[in-house]
């Protein structure tokens, strides 16, 4: 055992335990400056890998634990962003969280994640309480769903960014242009000669699903076309498969609420002996990595999840620095990517 370790374990006069190891103790044992130790413990700043390992070894030897409360008092920051997400198994949520983590790391922040079972106001409020007790500088809510600005109880001075346009005016928000992307998808299918476009929805109560369904109806109405009865979905390929089996025989074009649903729909159409796109054209939403490798390659609306995550973190960092951004909204373009799953309808 080193002298430094021995010193850290000795008792003070009267038998009371000695003080815990300090950042200076770690610096002396590792042979580096206190600033370097701080950079290693907070993750902020560049430290050579060999030096970082030496500092971490010294921390373990001395039993040193960074004092985050003291860091906040000294620097005005805990160095941590809280993230509340729902259903991380879904593509959009997982890819957005991944982008938030990467963007936070570049800004020198760690991330504490809470995945709520259901995004009700009560569950989101409880998640906020858990996160604020862990000392965070700001909060990202990936999707509030049923929670609203009126029902969500957030600390008054906590920087918050939400990927939900309903919170504009209350908290800064970032989101894809769902309406424009949906409109472009429907207009693309109509331009190919389809009389109308059927729709497989996302789950009831989902904000994005509601926006996409509303955009589909509005685009058809603007073109003077009637909207067929939508087929229910829940983002899953299984729900798309069920919708494909139930699709009316006169349907020639379908806009699906997401790509997984579209993949299930295409499989069901194949089981029915219908060809895509010769008999039925199909469009998805998201542009997941798999979309371009389906057969046929899927025409879809692209969501830039990476940019959404980056913008959420950027808004938080600006608020931490003192900017007032309650009315700020970042709309990320959601363009249509045309591939092989769409074509003119079959000749009558």
């Amino acid at each position: 055992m080193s002298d430094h370790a021995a010193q850290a374990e000795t008792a003070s006069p009267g038998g009371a335990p000695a003080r815990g190891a300090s950042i200076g103790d770690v610096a002396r044992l590792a042979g580096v400056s206190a600033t370097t130790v701080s950079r290693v413990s907070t993750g902020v700043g560049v430290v050579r890998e060999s030096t970082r390992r030496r500092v971490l070894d010294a921390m373990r030897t001395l039993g040193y634990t960074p004092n985050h409360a003291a860091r906040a008092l000294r620097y005005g920051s805990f160095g941590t962003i809280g993230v509340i997400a729902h259903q991380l198994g879904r593509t959009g949520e997982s890819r957005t969280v991944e982008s938030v983590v990467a963007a936070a790391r570049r800004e020198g922040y760690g991330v504490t994640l809470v995945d709520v079972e259901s995004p009700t106001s009560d569950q989101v409020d409880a998640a906020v309480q858990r996160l604020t007790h862990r000392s965070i500088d700001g909060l990202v809510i990936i999707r509030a769903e049923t929670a609203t600005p009126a029902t969500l109880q957030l600390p008054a001075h906590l920087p918050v960014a939400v990927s939900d346009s309903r919170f504009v005016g209350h908290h800064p928000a970032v989101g894809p242009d769902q309406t424009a992307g949906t409109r472009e998808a429907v207009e693309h299918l109509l331009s190919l000669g389809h009389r109308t476009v059927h729709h497989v929805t996302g789950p009831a109560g989902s904000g994005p699903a509601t926006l996409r369904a509303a955009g589909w109806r509005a685009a058809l109405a603007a073109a003077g076309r009637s909207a067929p009865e939508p087929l229910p979905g829940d983002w899953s390929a299984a729900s798309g498969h069920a919708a494909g089996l139930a699709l009316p025989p006169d349907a020639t074009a379908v806009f699906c609420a997401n790509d997984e649903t579209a993949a299930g729909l295409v499989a069901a159409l194949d089981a029915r002996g219908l060809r895509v796109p010769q008999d039925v054209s199909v469009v998805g939403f998201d542009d997941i990595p798999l979309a371009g490798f389906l057969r046929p390659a899927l025409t879809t609306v692209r969501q830039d999840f990476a940019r959404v995550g980056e913008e959420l973190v950027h808004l938080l960092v600006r608020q931490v620095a003192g900017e007032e951004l309650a009315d700020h909204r970042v709309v990320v373009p959601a363009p249509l990517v045309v591939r092989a799953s769409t074509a003119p309808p079959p000749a009558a």
Side-chain angles (χ1 to χ4, degrees), residues 8-333:
E9 293 178 357
T10 57
S12 62
R19 65 171 176 82
S22 69
I23 194 169
D25 296 330
V26 175
R28 282 189 292 274
L29 180 58
V32 299
S33 68
T35 299
T36 299
V37 176
S38 178
R39 286 175 178 166
V40 172
S41 65
T42 62
V44 178
V46 179
V47 178
R48 211 178 315 173
E49 180 59 25
S50 59
T51 303
R52 189 182 72 84
R53 285 198 300 267
R54 198 161 71 248
V55 170
L56 291 175
D57 287 343
M59 287 180 178
R60 282 191 289 269
T61 299
L62 296 173
Y64 172 78
T65 302
N67 187 332
H68 294 293
R71 180 182 187 273
L73 287 172
R74 183 175 178 184
Y75 299 106
S77 170
F78 292 101
T80 302
I81 290 172
V83 177
I84 296 175
H86 170 53
Q87 292 190 350
L88 281 171
R90 297 196 311 208
T91 298
E93 278 71 13
S94 62
R95 292 182 67 187
T96 304
V97 168
E98 181 181 37
S99 176
V100 167
V101 170
R105 184 185 301 117
R106 289 193 294 272
E107 294 286 350
Y109 287 89
V111 170
T112 299
L113 172 67
V114 174
D115 182 18
V116 296
E117 182 177 354
S118 175
T120 61
S121 296
D122 288 345
Q123 289 207 17
V124 175
D125 285 341
V128 170
Q129 291 302 314
R130 291 202 299 275
L131 285 168
T132 52
H133 288 158
R134 296 179 189 179
S135 304
I136 58 174
D137 296 306
L139 177 66
V140 170
I141 301 176
I142 298 299
R143 188 165 294 156
E145 298 286 23
T146 59
T148 67
T151 60
L152 200 57
Q153 302 297 316
L154 297 173
H157 302 294
L158 180 69
V160 176
V162 184
S163 60
D164 190 327
S165 60
R166 296 172 304 154
F167 285 77
V168 173
H170 300 268
H171 301 290
V174 180
D177 196 341
Q178 314 251 14
T179 301
T182 298
R183 181 176 62 248
E184 190 176 358
V186 173
E187 290 176 348
H188 166 69
L189 290 166
L190 294 178
S191 72
L192 291 171
H194 297 277
R195 287 188 305 105
T196 190
V197 177
H198 287 71
H199 179 47
V200 184
T201 71
S206 165
T210 300
L211 285 172
R212 293 170 203 178
W216 161 73
R217 288 186 185 278
L220 287 176
R225 312 296 173 88
S226 59
E229 186 67 24
L231 296 161
D234 61 9
W235 301 132
S236 70
S239 71
H241 193 273
L245 296 178
L247 191 70
D250 62 343
T252 63
V254 185
F255 167 59
C256 295
N258 73 336
D259 290 346
E260 285 93 338
T261 299
L265 181 91
V266 170
L269 294 176
D270 181 68
R272 291 175 56 180
L274 295 171
R275 300 164 301 165
V276 176
Q278 292 91 337
D279 299 313
V280 182
S281 289
V282 179
V283 176
F285 202 109
D286 283 345
D287 195 24
I288 62 175
L290 185 63
F293 297 93
L294 295 173
R295 287 293 173 265
L298 185 64
T299 296
T300 184
V301 178
R302 174 174 293 161
Q303 291 209 72
D304 192 343
F305 296 110
R307 184 176 167 195
V308 170
E310 290 170 0
E311 293 286 358
L312 286 166
V313 172
H314 183 55
L315 289 179
L316 272 191
V317 170
R318 289 173 62 187
Q319 291 176 82
V320 170
E323 289 191 54
E324 293 289 339
L325 299 173
D327 295 323
H328 201 80
R329 182 186 182 190
V330 178
V331 179
V332 177

